[in-house]
Amino acid sequence: MTSEVFSYESLVHAVAGAAGSMTAMTVFFPLDTARLRLQVDENRKAKSTPAILADIVKEEGLLAPYRGWFPVICSLCCSNFVYFYCFHWMKASWLKGRQSTPSIDLIVGIAAGVINVLLTTPLWVVNTRLKLQGSKFRNADIRPTNYSGILDAFEQIICKEGVGALWNGTFPSLLLVLNPAIQFMIYEGLKRQLRRGAHRELSSLEVFIIGAVAKAVATAATYPLQTIQSILRFGQFNTPKEKSKLLSSLKTIKGLLVNRARKHGVLGLFKGLEAKLLQTVLTAALMFLLYEKIASCTFKVMGLGSPHYKKH
């Protein structure tokens, strides 16, 4: 078990996944900016993604769509490294060379997601704050923040809101482990179907398409919770006064969902979905493509051979 936890193969998968996700997010980062703005700023009208980005550039400057890029990339690097490492380590420990199944992919994906959430939520809370800092909101109730960087944001949040604020949105994030779990289940399942028992590498187009399909299904299924997660991470909401933190979290999530549905209808829960789908599907597709290529090349260069790679 110890050798599997610290295996070279898990490390290669983790580095490849982190590198692929960082590159893909950088390419499509403005789309994520448009999505986050629509989720948090309730008074901003839901226009097409290009129109939202045009408004942001006009009001806030040419580089505004890339505001908060560095903390997001740092968080994404850590998050994907942890997720890919845990996913492949636990899967290798479970299977021990046997063929995987969709149910195993789902269970392992959920377990890896839980570990990832508990370890990296503080990074995502900080990057959400930094990404929205300096934005021109339509909602006048949103209070401006003044963070000079990642460390300063950590310090101010801890001093003003307490250490627990760094884990704002943890509960919906734990529910949202279904997103990458569903994504990996579909992705790995489609890979097995395309190979149909033949040990071959998939083409770049095949990897891109199945990565896009997997992410599109996972995103559409979990989007309302992603909206609530963004609002909670931003930190500007009224928390119910409950003795039980779990009960308080449940009431907060319910209250935010009901309030948004009352104000904007059921479709309000999916505000920004177009931008999110455009960003996340393209990002995931490119990420999986880069991940597969980096991992495959690394294993070949290090002389581990393709069987070690393909059995997962």
Side-chain angles (χ1 to χ4, degrees), residues 75-297:
S75 302
L76 192 67
C77 178
C78 294
S79 181
N80 277 280
F81 183 92
V82 171
Y83 191 89
F84 274 84
Y85 194 100
C86 290
F87 182 84
H88 288 282
W89 149 54
M90 287 188 286
K91 193 170 176 181
S93 301
W94 192 332
L95 293 175
K96 296 188 182 300
R98 294 171 300 176
Q99 180 74 15
S100 185
T101 63
S103 59
I104 290 176
D105 290 333
L106 184 63
I107 293 169
V108 171
I110 290 172
V114 169
I115 295 172
N116 181 36
V117 165
L118 296 177
L119 290 177
T120 65
T121 289
L123 287 170
W124 288 111
V125 168
V126 166
N127 93 55
T128 298
R129 306 281 185 98
L130 290 171
K131 192 170 170 57
L132 291 169
Q133 182 170 272
S135 303
K136 293 187 178 180
F137 294 107
R138 301 293 194 272
N139 188 347
D141 294 332
I142 294 178
R143 302 181 303 276
T145 55
N146 185 27
Y147 306 125
S148 61
I150 296 175
L151 294 179
D152 182 56
F154 270 111
E155 185 179 345
Q156 285 197 44
I157 292 170
I158 292 171
C159 291
K160 294 178 181 178
E161 303 171 46
V163 175
L166 291 173
W167 276 268
N168 278 349
T170 297
F171 190 72
S173 294
L174 287 173
L175 298 178
L176 277 169
V177 299
L178 284 171
N179 184 299
I182 292 170
Q183 175 186 342
F184 269 75
M185 178 184 72
I186 295 173
Y187 179 76
E188 294 290 333
L190 289 174
K191 274 173 65 176
R192 286 191 291 271
Q193 286 297 315
L194 286 173
R195 284 172 176 163
R196 292 189 182 88
H199 292 297
R200 68 178 182 90
E201 285 194 18
L202 301 181
S203 69
S204 298
L205 181 60
E206 287 174 324
V207 172
F208 191 89
I209 290 174
I210 65 175
V213 170
K215 192 60 178 179
V217 174
T219 298
T222 60
Y223 189 75
L225 275 175
Q226 291 182 52
T227 298
I228 300 308
Q229 179 191 56
S230 295
I231 294 170
L232 289 171
R233 284 174 174 170
F234 192 35
Q236 304 204 21
F237 59 95
N238 295 319
T239 308
K241 304 298 180 183
E242 298 287 346
K243 291 183 180 180
S244 168
K245 287 188 177 181
L246 177 60
L247 189 58
S248 178
S249 296
L250 287 170
K251 285 200 170 185
T252 298
I253 293 170
K254 179 186 174 184
L256 289 170
L257 286 170
V258 170
N259 183 57
R260 199 173 186 91
R262 282 176 179 169
K263 281 186 177 180
H264 308 287
V266 176
L267 291 180
L269 298 174
F270 292 89
K271 187 182 178 187
L273 178 59
E274 177 210 352
K276 179 64 177 176
L277 277 175
L278 190 60
Q279 176 262 328
T280 200
V281 167
L282 291 174
T283 300
L286 181 57
M287 182 271 289
F288 274 118
L289 174 59
L290 294 172
Y291 154 69
E292 294 283 0
K293 296 303 179 186
I294 293 170
S296 179
C297 288

Side-chain angles (χ1 to χ4, degrees), residues 37 44 54-61 136 138:
R37 200 67 63 86
R44 182 178 287 275
D55 285 347
I56 292 172
V57 170
K58 183 179 179 181
E59 296 171 4
E60 303 169 32
K136 293 187 178 180
R138 301 293 194 272

